[in-house]
Every structure is written in C-alpha cells, then in structure tokens.
Amino acid sequence: METLTTRGRVTRLGATALGLALLLVGTFWGSDDDFPFGPFRMYSTSNPPNAPAPDTRVEGVDSAGTVIDLDQDATGIRRAEIEGQQARYAADPTLLTEVADAYAERHPDAPALVEVRIVIRWHGIRAGRPTGQHTDQTVVSWRATR
C-alpha cells in the first residue's frame, strides 16, 4: 500500500470539510430543492394524528362529459410534477392546457378535453387511523374556450 501524499491528505480533508459544511448549512437553512445537502422534509415530518391527509389528482372532462383520470399513464406527467407546480397552476390556470395537450398527444382518437382540474381528496384521519370518509376540493380549474 502506498502512503498518501500531504497534498492528497489536504485535498481529501478539504473535500470532507466542504461536504460537512454544505450538510450543516443545508440542514439549518436549506429546503427540499437543496437535497442531498438540504433536508428532504417529505420524510422528516408528519401530519398531526387528527389532521386530514391530502391526495392530489388531476382529472379532465371530455366533450361528452366523461371524467377522466389524468395520471402519468394518460399524460406522461407525474403527479409530483403537478404538485410541485401547483402554486403556478393556481396563479395561472391556463397552464393546465399543457396537461390537456399531453393527453391529446397520447390519445389522438379520444374526445377533446373541455376542462382540466387539480383536485385534492382530503381523507379523514382520527387518532392516526383512516376514518373512511373523504371530501374533494377543486383547487385549480381550467375550461377550454375553443
């Protein structure tokens, strides 16, 4: 085994110190976007035991009035991408045309979507256990003007 040179030791110690500093700064002042140097809050927090649990989905309504689940298979857009951009969609609901266009591209023979909406299903929780009850809340909605 060869011995590590002084320069090699200094380089490794410097890289280690930099990594530890980034972890420390990220832990106290970082956000999920800074992962792996920031906290990944999805796994480090929990809801209160009696708070409802959200389940976000995207659904569309076609010209025949049929409600369609616009999940990843239907559009190619992951739910996490929708949830991560939910504030943008709320600020400008016309951005949901991208979801309608993605659906139309994957389903060229299907009737056109006349509405796309982001819906949160709030599942009832009591003492940390599901109650079986839920309520739906439409948080963003876009209607076609075509």
Side-chain angles (χ1 to χ4, degrees):
M1 174 185 288
E2 295 183 32
T3 58
L4 194 59
T5 65
T6 302
R7 183 177 182 185
R9 269 187 247 128
V10 168
T11 301
R12 287 184 182 190
L13 286 172
T16 301
L18 177 63
L20 289 173
L22 287 172
L23 283 171
L24 184 64
V25 168
T27 298
F28 291 108
W29 297 285
S31 68
D32 287 352
D33 294 335
D34 302 321
F35 187 79
F37 295 107
F40 202 38
R41 296 190 198 287
M42 174 172 43
Y43 296 115
S44 65
T45 62
S46 64
N47 293 338
N50 293 320
D55 180 17
T56 304
R57 70 179 186 276
V58 180
E59 58 187 30
V61 180
D62 67 17
S63 55
T66 306
V67 176
I68 301 161
D69 185 20
L70 298 177
D71 60 7
Q72 184 173 349
D73 292 336
T75 64
I77 302 171
R78 295 178 321 138
R79 183 175 83 169
E81 294 173 30
I82 298 290
E83 289 175 337
Q85 299 296 319
Q86 188 170 318
R88 285 185 61 225
Y89 290 120
D92 183 8
T94 61
L95 293 174
L96 287 173
T97 58
E98 297 170 355
V99 178
D101 292 343
Y103 175 78
E105 186 177 309
R106 286 184 171 230
H107 303 75
D109 298 330
L113 295 177
V114 296
E115 183 179 7
V116 176
R117 54 192 177 221
I118 299 175
V119 179
I120 299 176
R121 175 164 284 179
W122 295 95
H123 293 275
I125 304 291
R126 176 72 52 211
R129 308 293 304 162
T131 63
Q133 298 175 339
H134 66 270
T135 58
D136 288 343
Q137 175 191 13
T138 300
V139 292
V140 182
S141 181
W142 164 83
R143 285 190 165 275
T145 57
R146 305 173 199 170

